[in-house]
Amino acid sequence: MKFRGTYTVMITPYDSEGRVDVQGLRRFTDWQIAQGIAGLIPLGSTGEFLSLTDDERTLVAQTVFEQAAGRVPVFIGTGAENTYDVIRYSQEAEKLGADGVMIIPPFYSTPTDDELFVHYRRISDAIGLPIMLYNNPATANVDLKPELVARLSHIDNCCLIKESTMDVTRVRDIIRLCGDRLSVFGGIMGFESFLEGAIGWVAVASNVAPHVMSEIFNLCDGYKDIGKAREMYFRHVPLIQFVGGQGYVSGTKALLKHMGFDVGGPRAPRLPLPAEDDARALQIVRDLDLRFEESA
């Protein structure tokens, strides 16, 4: 399977009791696919993976994979601080039938480059799935710089990366140093990353605007219509910025609620949006005419 296009790093919906809303997650999965999303990634940062129990992680992964039913690739976030927990989560993802795993570096121990190399090599040796490295220094306290990424690309299963810094020259340098050993997905800077050669986008904003975020990539792919892509991108920058900061979970969930799909609030320690920010969310929904409309 060729991995490319816009992938949604999915929210985890909760019911009124704060439990994982399985039926809501199934509906959300179907809606994403119907809207043209190219792939799905449950249990990333936006999915609040650190706030879920192991049983809940399994439930979320299994639900998304079963509901997607092979219609789009499903990569499962299996990040953890402990290498052996990552291996355990990744082996479980493989047993479920996932198409790949996305793995953020250990986010507390500030490992050295050698420790990171051994970490990912041990994971790769334990599974047969494609591994998407996830570089997000703002949350992981670890920066996978292009030279280190080039070294990691020699590990058998490390064949993709979500590059989620504000420096799009990283995309250029990763491609230059890794060649065809590793493919780049943009993180925060989707449109800009496409222009540097990224073949996809792991997006937060596609939780609420999957069709548009997919179209921005599709128009850039093969340089079909960069002008139209830029126009769509500029119009949606307020949305992308709104879910690109500290409120990426609470903000995304507020937007979906205003769109007509209540997915519950975030789990502690996160709080729902303050009233002023929630009003901004409502205005964004109105300005962009965002709606959650399921297919008949």
Side-chain angles (χ1 to χ4, degrees), residues 1-3 7 38-42 61 64-66 68-76 90 92-102 127-132 157 159-160:
M1 185 179 293
K2 194 172 185 179
F3 304 121
Y7 286 31
L40 295 169
I41 305 180
V64 173
F65 177 73
E66 289 179 352
R71 290 177 288 173
V72 297
V74 175
F75 274 60
I76 294 173
S90 299
E92 181 179 73
E94 187 166 28
K95 288 178 183 176
L96 287 174
D99 298 287
V101 290
M102 184 178 74
I127 61 173
L129 290 176
I131 294 171
M132 179 184 287
N157 294 321
C159 54
L160 304 121

Side-chain angles (χ1 to χ4, degrees), residues 218-246:
N218 294 338
L219 290 167
C220 289
D221 192 24
Y223 297 92
K224 292 185 185 72
D225 194 334
I226 299 297
K228 185 175 180 180
R230 182 181 287 108
E231 181 182 340
M232 293 175 71
Y233 172 61
F234 281 3
R235 183 165 186 257
H236 289 81
V237 162
L239 165 64
I240 295 167
Q241 290 178 331
F242 187 75
V243 298
Q246 201 168 15

Side-chain angles (χ1 to χ4, degrees), residues 46-274:
T46 309
E48 301 175 81
F49 75 97
L50 285 171
S51 302
L52 301 175
T53 67
D54 280 4
D55 286 345
E56 287 175 325
R57 287 177 72 140
T58 300
L59 177 62
V60 168
Q62 187 168 20
T63 299
V64 173
F65 177 73
E66 289 179 352
Q67 197 66 25
R71 290 177 288 173
V72 297
V74 175
F75 274 60
I76 294 173
T78 58
E81 176 64 21
N82 183 309
T83 301
Y84 302 103
D85 283 340
V86 181
I87 289 172
R88 178 164 56 89
Y89 294 141
S90 299
Q91 288 177 332
E92 181 179 73
E94 187 166 28
K95 288 178 183 176
L96 287 174
D99 298 287
V101 290
M102 184 178 74
I103 305 175
I104 197 166
F107 30 76
Y108 181 81
S109 58
T110 59
T112 66
D113 286 4
D114 286 345
E115 288 169 338
L116 286 165
F117 183 84
V118 173
H119 173 73
Y120 282 107
R121 187 184 64 194
R122 285 175 173 167
I123 299 163
S124 177
D125 287 346
I127 61 173
L129 290 176
I131 294 171
M132 179 184 287
L133 307 170
Y134 177 17
N135 187 40
N136 190 340
T139 58
N141 201 29
V142 176
D143 191 359
L144 302 179
K145 294 182 179 178
E147 293 76 15
L148 174 57
V149 174
R151 183 180 174 192
L152 295 173
S153 72
H154 289 282
I155 298 173
D156 285 344
N157 294 321
C158 293
C159 54
L160 304 121
I161 186 171
K162 175 187 176 183
E163 167 48 43
S164 197
T165 67
M166 299 294 285
D167 181 3
V168 294
T169 66
R170 296 286 191 96
V171 175
R172 176 201 68 196
D173 290 339
I174 291 169
I175 293 172
R176 180 173 58 85
L177 294 172
C178 296
D180 60 5
R181 294 192 306 275
L182 185 137
S183 299
V184 181
F185 277 61
I188 298 172
M189 309 290 281
F191 173 77
E192 295 85 354
S193 296
F194 303 152
L195 301 184
E196 291 291 344
I199 64 161
W201 184 8
V202 177
V204 178
S206 57
N207 275 284
V208 300
H211 178 72
V212 171
M213 299 303 139
S214 295
E215 277 302 295
I216 291 171
F217 170 79
N218 294 338
L219 290 167
C220 289
D221 192 24
Y223 297 92
K224 292 185 185 72
D225 194 334
I226 299 297
K228 185 175 180 180
R230 182 181 287 108
E231 181 182 340
M232 293 175 71
Y233 172 61
F234 281 3
R235 183 165 186 257
H236 289 81
V237 162
L239 165 64
I240 295 167
Q241 290 178 331
F242 187 75
V243 298
Q246 201 168 15
Y248 60 97
V249 176
S250 55
T252 301
K253 289 190 165 186
L255 289 161
L256 283 165
K257 184 175 182 179
H258 290 308
M259 289 167 57
F261 183 40
D262 190 348
V263 294
R267 279 192 176 169
R270 297 181 179 91
L271 295 172
L273 289 183

Side-chain angles (χ1 to χ4, degrees), residues 23-45:
Q23 289 308 311
L25 186 55
R26 291 187 183 280
R27 290 173 60 203
F28 188 63
T29 300
D30 282 340
W31 179 70
Q32 286 279 319
I33 295 171
Q35 289 287 307
I37 207 68
L40 295 169
I41 305 180
L43 301 177
S45 303

